[in-house]
Amino acid sequence: MTSSKRATMVAIDGTNALAYVIIRPGADPGALTMEAGAKGLGKPAAAEVLRHIADQWGSVPEHQATRSVLAEIAGERRRQDDKFGTQNHPDGTGLPVYQHSARRYRDHADRAAASGTLAWRDVLQEEVHEALAESDPVRLRAELVQVAAVAAAWIEAIDRRAKDGGS
């Protein structure tokens, strides 16, 4: 990409287009601005189209691994919804036993990290038990995001080992 502010216009008959994207040079060197719209597509479908376009331009390999794992997770969520429908269970968190287990697993993970024996199992158990200890919905949600992030990172590590021929 050049640092020129010159814009090139490409005209395409968009009469039957479902979506459009206009990309213009941004105010700063190397920056872009983007305008997008959709006709006949819902926001989730339009967002998926835009993600696909972004992926076509290339991405950081580490981020591509995360996208791949998240796509698998999204597929699993669809299968769960198809099988069970929308589920609205109570959280069942915040009990004293979970607060105790959160401290125990946090201490274990700290000791394992200090001794050089930290495993993915330790990290995930710590995050799961921290989530179980939370009764506040905002904090619980934040902890569950951490659980999901650790699980995704673990899956990425498994995939890297498989790609590298390791176990």
Side-chain angles (χ1 to χ4, degrees):
M1 183 167 124
T2 66
S3 61
S4 168
K5 293 283 185 186
R6 195 180 110 244
T8 302
M9 173 66 92
V10 176
I12 300 172
D13 177 9
T15 307
N16 295 317
L18 294 176
Y20 70 89
V21 177
I22 299 172
I23 301 167
R24 296 183 179 96
D28 297 323
L32 299 172
T33 62
M34 182 172 70
E35 177 185 339
K39 178 175 84 176
L41 286 178
K43 283 185 179 181
E48 183 62 31
V49 168
L50 292 174
R51 278 190 290 277
H52 179 73
I53 290 167
D55 287 344
Q56 298 304 307
W57 283 348
S59 61
V60 177
E62 297 83 27
H63 296 164
Q64 185 57 43
T66 301
R67 280 192 200 98
S68 176
V69 169
L70 293 178
E72 286 184 68
I73 292 168
E76 175 58 23
R77 284 292 301 120
R78 283 189 297 276
R79 287 186 291 279
Q80 290 172 356
D81 284 346
D82 289 346
K83 184 173 183 178
F84 303 111
T86 301
Q87 300 179 66
N88 291 301
H89 307 296
D91 295 330
T93 61
L95 299 174
V97 67
Y98 297 134
Q99 293 165 2
H100 172 74
S101 67
R103 284 190 299 275
R104 188 172 45 127
Y105 282 105
R106 187 178 313 112
D107 290 346
H108 174 78
D110 289 346
R111 285 191 308 276
S115 68
T117 61
L118 185 69
W120 281 111
R121 167 202 65 228
D122 305 320
V123 179
L124 185 61
Q125 284 182 327
E126 176 188 2
E127 295 300 339
V128 166
H129 287 274
E130 286 178 349
L132 292 174
E134 281 299 338
S135 57
D136 177 74
V138 173
R139 289 189 199 143
L140 173 59
R141 186 183 187 286
E143 290 294 340
L144 290 171
V145 167
Q146 291 177 29
V147 168
V150 168
W154 190 354
I155 294 167
E156 291 170 27
I158 292 168
D159 292 347
R160 281 192 303 274
R161 287 193 307 262
K163 182 179 175 185
D164 297 338
S167 57

